[in-house]
Amino acid sequence: MGKETVIPFGPQHPVLPEPIHLDLVLEDETVVEAIPSIGYIHRGLEKLVEKKDFQQYTYVAERICGICSFMHGMGYCMSVESIMGVQIPERAEFLRTIWAELSRLHSHMLWLGLLADALGFESLFMHSWRLREQILDIFEETTSGRVIFSVCDIGGVRKDIDSETLKKINSILDGFEQEVSEITKVFLNDSSVILRTQGLGVLSQQAAFDLGAVGPMARASGIDIDMRKSGYAAYGRLKMEPILETAGDCYARTSVRIKEVFQSLDLIRQCIALIPEGEIKVKVMGNPKGEYFTRLEQPRGEVLYYVKANGTKFLDRVRVRTPTFANIPALLETLKGCQLADVPVLILTIDPCISCTER
Amino acid sequence: MMLVIYIIAVIVLAPLVGGLLTGIDRVITARMQGRKGPSVLQPFYDVLKLFQKESIEVNTMHRFFVYISLIFVIFTTVIMLLGGDILLAFFALTLGSIFFVLGGYASNSPYSTVGSERELLQMMAFEPMILLTAIGLYYGDKSFFIKDIIAARVPSIVYLPGVFLGLIYILTFKLRKSPFDLSMSHHGHQEIVQGITTEYSGKDLAIIQITHWYETIIALTLVYLFFAFNSPVSHLIAILACIIAYLLEIVIDNAFARVKWQHALKSTWVITGVLASVNLIILSFFR
Amino acid sequence: MSFFSMTKTLIKSIFHGPYTVKYPLEKKESFPASRGRIEINIQDCIFCGLCARRCPTGAINIEKAESRWSINRLRCIQCSYCSEVCPKKCLKMSNNYTAPSFENVEDEYCNARVPDNKENNRNIAGAC
Amino acid sequence: MNTISILVLFPLLASIAVFLVRKDAVRNIIVRVCAFTTGILTLFVVCRYFKDGISLSFANRNTIDMIIAFVEVLIAAYIILIGIKNKKYIVSIFAAVQTTLILWFEFTQKHGIDVQSDIVFDRLSAVMVLIVGCIGSLILIYTVGYMKWYHVHHEEYKERKSFFFSEIFLFLFAMFGLVLSNNLLWMYFCWELTSLCSYLLIGYTKTPEAVNNSFRALAINLGGGLAFASAIVFIGMNFKTLELSVLTVLKPELMVLIPVFLLCIAALTKSAQMPFSSWLLGAMVAPTPSSALLHSATMVKAGVYLLIRLAPLLAGTSVGKVITLLGAVTFFVNSIIAISKSDAKKILAYSTISNLGLIVACAGIGSQESLWAAILLLIFHSISKSLLFLTAGSVEHQIGSRNVEDMDILMQVSRRLSGYMIVGIAGMFLAPFGMLISKWVAMKAFIDSNNILTVIILGYGSATTLFYWTKWMGKLVSNANRKDHIKHTFHIDEEIPIFIHAVLVVLSCFTFPLISEYVLVPYLSGLFGPGVSMPLGISDVNIMLIMLSMLLILPISFIPIYKSDRRRIVPVYMAGENTGDNESFYGALHAKRKVKLHNWYMESFFGVKKLAFWSNVLSIVIILVGVLLLIGGITK
Amino acid sequence: MNFSKKSPWILHYDGSSCNGCDIEVLACLTPLYDVERFGVINTGNPKHADILLITGSINEQNKSVVKQLYEQMANPKVVVAVGICAATGGIFSECYNVLGGVDRIIPVDVYVPGCAARPEAIIDGVVKALGILEERQKFARKKA
Amino acid sequence: MAQQTINTISANELLAYALRLKNTNHRMVAISCTTVENGIEMSYSFDGGNDFINLRFIAGPEDEIESISSIYPYSFLYENEIKELFGVNITGITPDYKDKLYKISVKTPFNMKEGDK
């Protein structure tokens, strides 16, 4: 035809907070082909186990990604604990769950903001991020870090939350819920947002399964995958149902995440109500030997940690399969035939975390 | 002699007012977003900084278009504010805009080119409505001259409500506000980087900013025309109307997501087409 | 479907006033637990080297012979692991973060027994 | 013999002469000389009779009539034969019917009809003669250069250069005859002759596509011819006259409107208005000079010329309204479709149809303002469009493609050529240039005649016009630095006519107040009586001229600025992956990938497939409404 | 008057950070910290930017990108390395694909420590950078 | 906690197993690998809702492992990565990035000795 436009999209691009590159082949503005190129953040973290001992690696694991940093630390610790056969105190399980759900809140709020930004809805972006700061404050108060917490340790957690603070968290979350429900209404009801998200990037249930989608991406297409149902940490003692949508478009993915925000609020409240008194950490002695696969539900979906230890201080292998890695095939599928203006929106609806993906 | 003084006054004052409006816009927008926002004079700081910066370019041709564009936009402002022919002013403005678009093509860079296409598409979407506005105003007074329009016995808004609404609709394009900031937005985060201005820097970018200030004044002058008539008080009302329209645009900017080009084109043509056509057809029956 | 559904929040924000903390002018109250920088009480330090060995990034350097403890601020990840393992508990995390700098900052702390040895006490003013 | 007759007959002689000469070099000289002579003759005739005009009648009219009838029969026989040979029976039927009709009229009904003046030269004819003569001769000179290259690059086509040149001269003869004739029978003869020339030129390459398209053109034009013939018979039988000038001063009653409607149909087919527009698009397979001459500058103008002549009869009547609406719809739809095209000649063709639509709409209104606009549109369009066609031909010659997308390297290949092309495009739609001035007045005329629907259509149509021209212009100014471009020489035979055209485009804009004062106002005064004036205010005209001067002066004034202010040149922004040459980036798999930048075509909105069918239906409906209105008038 | 101090426009590029510093850079733009008070706009376009904020370390694949972005910025320009990865490579400095801090590739003017760098620290870093920007502007004008 | 089932298979049974798992609606979770003495230990993890199954075999340096991208198309990223970083000779990946998924400053695959390749 000769009417094709080929342009680079990324690695540096104002709508991309993280570097990923696409060769976009357009006709007018319609994407005919999108060929990805990754590796801009590839550092080689898995290989770092050869240089850091298994205790130090906790801190490396947390820095796999700065957004779900808590979950990464937790997943790694859980794997090592499982290998070593350590049963951590119940209070620690609950604290981990609270922080995990707070992480989900902060991640989803961040995502909502970025989505609004990709849609060109600046005020919504600002307000989402403003509300997110409340969660970060809770984090800072309880874990002493804003985005990277270093609070999870092998054998439990390093900091406790006293009951006073738990109450305070409860009241902060009440105010938060009220304000969030105000702006999430905009995401779900405003016509200009719906115009941009509804019917965009549709992934049918079959396609989502065939492409191995995980997390909200899969749940928005009606696939019931939620690792929290497996009952790790304290989830076994909480009431929760995975949130499912069937449309499989960007709107459904937004809707799933928004509902998960409220679900997380609910889970945190349940935890605060149920949390037992007790120790927060057991002492871990010796070195791990054995292997274990741990699977958790991150804000972005299912994550898999595979740890293999040989009885020395240094582990044989740590393998992390992050949710974004699993969602990339689905993203490429949805990009076909979309508009150039939709590219950032579609990239965002998988909630990409490139630094997780490339490690 | 007076004419020369007038012209110089327009050339100097229009960007000052335009810049100030942009500054106010930025402050109000920030407040709406729960932020403190920059100082009101920030747009001037930006432009002055750009003038002090190094100007780099990707080829020797593309800066030329920006300057020509500015000259024709100034030309338009002068015609309009001196009460000249409104259609002629539009033609000069279109000429200016086209040079701006050509500037985007001239840099031959991916995002500039896509920006140019989008800008052109926007022009295609809103130009008819601007023409129809002029025609509507002409219907009232049998004159395309602004000085005649604002000296009419009744304000144009009385018989041109539909046209006015259509104009408000496309004002969003002219002021480069969301939802119609496809080609170039105030807010940097856009899929086509900064569209046409991607390759401009330093002085050239400053010129583009100033051009936009003039365009803001031109856009508000159009609103003004609907309210001004031969009573002196009406001019105050008209200025008030301009301010309200501008505030409305700021709210719209903050309350909408950016639309895609298909929707921008379709909705603009349909809405302006219906509003303006119905208004004009009814008007033509009463002649 | 609705139009202008954001307006309520927008107008509320105008009346509420900015949420902004005017940072350099006024500071946001930082939490007591906030992680800022590692401070050392050099008098108590016994230069055992445990912190240096456990530090995941190798930011801490100890020369036992010269009784020197130094930390590279641009390597420290504020994990607080060193303060946990310190047998004398002389390391602690303060909630003031390190200020940005124009070059690599290495804070050195020398043994308190030679306080006047200015040449070896780089950045001591800022540190102690 | 009168100079006018010489002017008309000279091309005929040239045609025969060129046809007979087989040697390239000799023929080229003859063509140049004849073209030059035609040009001079035109200027001479126009200068001589411009002031007072002239009408001629011929004593030996009957002889001429007989010759014409004889040639018509020959032509008809030829058309019937080729129609049968190529199984395009519709052509044969049309030719047979209309020739029979005319012959029947000639020999049985014509007695007693007296023709006062066979040829009328007034200011409108002067304009047409100037266009035909000047542009025609320039294009002929251009053709000499063009055809040299054409057969080098298209070896697959049989070389028939002498045939080609001779056809063009023959066409000039027909065209002069057409615009000068007041005698409808003569006009009809020339009308048919132009159709034939067009057919022959479209079919020049003899490819199946060309043959097909040429037959389509012939069929539609013969259909128009049939309408013309019927109109002549109707007029001759009812009003006992065969003079156009007599017809136009009749009262626009129903009986007059019927033949006028028929003539309008003929005009619409010739001017390729919808639903008859398809032939013009097919005609683009012809070599570019013939497209420039026949299919944009002159022959298609014959239709609108006839409409402008008939305008006094159309003003305010139902036929006029129908014609206006049809013109407006054609204008709108075709300028929309042009957006979805990337072939330069296709764009030009759609733009031509669209602009003719505008002229038709103006003529349909028939007020003095609208006619002012119509004639001015006719002049400016002819010059600009012919410039564009010629440059498009040369561009094809230079870069081996006439796709607009490939023209981004033109700036590197030939700065002058792209400069000319930019002038041509600017002339088509930009502010201080002629087309826009006329559009402006046209709009004013529509408003003043309370044709609000047309105004709205015009508003939206102009905006689409802006889109496709600007994106084309954008390609021309974009500095693609592809290194593999071919250096080609710009033939002097091509450059001179192009240069003159470009100068004419600018000059005509500067002088349009003069054109208005010396041509349009006197002509319109003749129609509407005294009180006709230029529809634009003096201050506006002054501002326009200031803008035009600015456009000329500003680029030059930039030269010293460039000299004093040299800047650091950095690579184009490609998200950080520019390979350094502005042409490619590091893409997936770390491989270099070429950046391709193409314009938008928005086929889903503006594609032919989407629009052509329904717009044709719409225009047929409009015509049928016209017919119904006439029938309704009869039965009332 | 020197206006570069009044309107610093930034370009943020994520080298190979863990996102921690990235989201803190973005958080600076949001209501709580709102760096637009200082006239800061996150342009996302090297041609418009005055300050290049880089988070994360340099690796094989992004080193040419960083270099190119730096070259495409107009003078005067300042580079701020945000976070310890951008300064030294941080905890990742021993990874096989981390070449080290940003100063391996382009001259860095201000280092903002922290893992992740706090928004306050980033604001401080930008303010520090403004001083350098002003100096450079003066120097450039003297030379001209 | 989900059951950790590790089925040790031989390399040439992989496709058959994968197909069987696909037919019982298992989704692939991850492909992991570890360098062991006599080659690369490959683990293919599958999830079927309630059960979590790992297929395990050791790929020797000379072995050709057939890609399961024909059964699980989204395995291509994992396989490309493993092929590039660990040098497992996986054949028939669609699309094959030909060891260009990442641009890495050190020599890959890691287990190669100096001078190889």
Side-chain angles (χ1 to χ4, degrees), chain D residues 576-577 586, chain E residues 60-69, chain F residues 103:
Chain D
E577 289 284 33
Y586 292 109
Chain E
E60 186 67 25
Q61 195 162 345
N62 69 26
K63 78 179 178 192
S64 62
V65 178
V66 171
K67 223 185 243 167
Q68 186 167 107
L69 292 177
Chain F
K103 201 169 166 185

Side-chain angles (χ1 to χ4, degrees), chain A residues 3-199:
Chain A
K3 288 179 185 175
E4 280 180 349
T5 298
V6 182
I7 61 171
F9 191 89
Q12 192 276 320
H13 196 285
V15 293
L16 294 175
E18 295 176 88
I20 182 172
H21 172 93
L22 293 171
D23 296 359
L24 285 183
V25 181
L26 309 172
E27 222 164 75
D28 287 1
E29 269 206 14
T30 312
V31 176
V32 182
E33 203 181 357
I35 308 157
S37 157
I38 60 171
Y40 291 93
I41 311 202
H42 182 66
R43 291 155 294 191
L45 287 188
E46 290 177 355
K47 202 78 181 155
L48 206 57
V49 284
E50 292 166 8
K51 289 171 186 157
K52 309 272 179 207
D53 68 38
F54 77 98
Q55 296 271 11
Q56 286 175 331
Y57 198 80
T58 320
Y59 303 105
V60 178
E62 278 190 325
R63 282 162 179 81
I64 289 174
C65 162
I67 302 174
C68 15
S69 111
F70 182 82
M71 307 265 205
H72 279 299
M74 177 172 161
Y76 171 75
C77 290
M78 278 169 66
S79 309
V80 177
E81 284 155 8
S82 301
I83 293 173
M84 296 171 85
V86 176
Q87 180 62 45
I88 69 164
E90 212 176 4
R91 187 170 175 87
E93 299 267 32
F94 271 92
L95 287 172
R96 280 186 182 179
T97 312
I98 290 177
W99 280 317
E101 287 308 313
L102 280 170
S103 290
R104 195 181 314 280
L105 270 182
H106 123 79
S107 172
H108 280 350
M109 288 315 290
L110 176 132
W111 178 81
L112 282 174
L114 290 177
L115 175 74
D117 197 37
L119 293 172
F121 204 148
E122 212 197 21
S123 57
L124 203 48
F125 160 69
M126 291 291 182
H127 282 289
S128 307
W129 278 57
R130 174 173 68 77
L131 295 177
R132 176 177 159 265
E133 290 287 339
Q134 299 182 3
I135 308 293
L136 293 188
D137 279 351
I138 298 177
F139 268 127
E140 196 172 346
E141 188 169 357
T142 56
T143 72
S144 64
R146 274 170 58 88
V147 289
I148 297 212
F149 313 117
S150 307
V151 78
C152 216
D153 204 355
I154 295 165
V157 293
R158 291 162 76 182
K159 282 205 166 67
D160 198 358
I161 310 181
D162 57 41
S163 55
E164 204 72 359
T165 319
L166 283 175
K167 255 181 230 154
K168 196 174 147 198
I169 292 174
N170 237 339
S171 71
I172 292 176
L173 291 183
D174 286 342
F176 174 80
E177 184 168 16
Q178 211 181 357
E179 288 200 80
V180 161
S181 58
E182 197 176 298
I183 67 158
T184 48
K185 261 185 214 139
V186 180
F187 279 105
L188 294 176
N189 296 330
D190 191 77
S191 52
S192 66
V193 176
I194 290 176
L195 195 70
R196 290 292 303 274
T197 54
Q198 212 155 49

Side-chain angles (χ1 to χ4, degrees), chain D residues 16-185:
Chain D
I16 295 164
V18 170
F19 190 70
L20 295 176
V21 177
R22 294 278 146 182
K23 207 161 169 210
D24 262 3
V26 181
R27 189 181 52 230
N28 285 345
I29 291 168
I30 295 179
V31 170
R32 283 188 198 125
V33 169
C34 288
F36 189 70
T37 320
T38 314
I40 294 294
L41 263 174
T42 310
L43 289 176
F44 178 72
V45 166
V46 171
C47 287
R48 178 153 177 210
Y49 300 111
F50 183 74
K51 196 128 183 277
D52 307 311
I54 188 171
S55 31
L56 298 174
S57 60
F58 292 84
N60 47 356
R61 180 180 311 117
N62 281 335
T63 329
I64 299 174
D65 275 354
M66 280 306 120
I67 295 171
I68 286 178
F70 177 66
V71 177
E72 257 169 30
V73 171
L74 279 184
I75 293 173
Y78 172 70
I79 292 176
I80 291 167
L81 271 179
I82 55 165
I84 292 169
K85 199 175 133 201
N86 289 290
K87 301 206 174 77
K88 306 275 180 190
Y89 302 114
I90 184 88
V91 173
S92 316
I93 294 168
F94 274 148
V97 172
Q98 69 196 69
T99 312
T100 323
L101 197 65
I102 284 294
L103 288 179
W104 170 74
F105 177 75
E106 182 93 37
F107 293 108
T108 64
Q109 306 289 320
K110 215 186 86 178
H111 302 293
I113 298 176
D114 189 36
V115 176
Q116 292 292 331
S117 40
D118 295 298
I119 281 183
V120 167
F121 183 93
D122 61 3
R123 300 201 183 205
L124 182 58
S125 336
V127 168
M128 286 303 287
V129 166
L130 264 180
I131 291 173
V132 175
C134 295
I135 294 183
S137 52
L138 287 174
I139 289 176
L140 269 166
I141 293 172
Y142 173 86
T143 315
V144 174
Y146 181 85
M147 289 313 268
K148 261 185 205 157
W149 162 83
Y150 189 76
H151 281 290
V152 177
H153 278 71
H154 294 282
E155 284 174 350
E156 67 273 28
Y157 306 140
K158 193 176 160 228
E159 195 194 301
R160 295 190 292 161
K161 276 191 213 164
S162 53
F163 169 78
F164 190 78
F165 284 113
S166 128
E167 280 312 315
I168 289 185
F169 275 115
L170 181 65
F171 167 76
L172 285 185
F173 156 72
M175 204 59 208
F176 279 133
L178 198 155
V179 297
L180 288 167
S181 301
N182 189 40
N183 185 334
L184 282 172
L185 273 175

Side-chain angles (χ1 to χ4, degrees), chain B residues 10 28 32 39 58 60 66 71 90 99 117 119 126-127 134 149 155 161 170 180 187 192 214 220 228 247 250 268 286:
Chain B
V10 165
I28 294 179
M32 282 181 170
S39 109
V58 295
T60 49
V66 174
I71 289 169
F90 286 156
F99 271 107
E117 299 285 344
E119 178 77 19
F126 72 70
E127 281 297 285
I149 293 169
I170 59 139
F180 301 126
H187 320 303
I192 54 165
Y214 278 107
L220 290 179
L247 289 178
I250 296 175
T268 313
F286 283 105

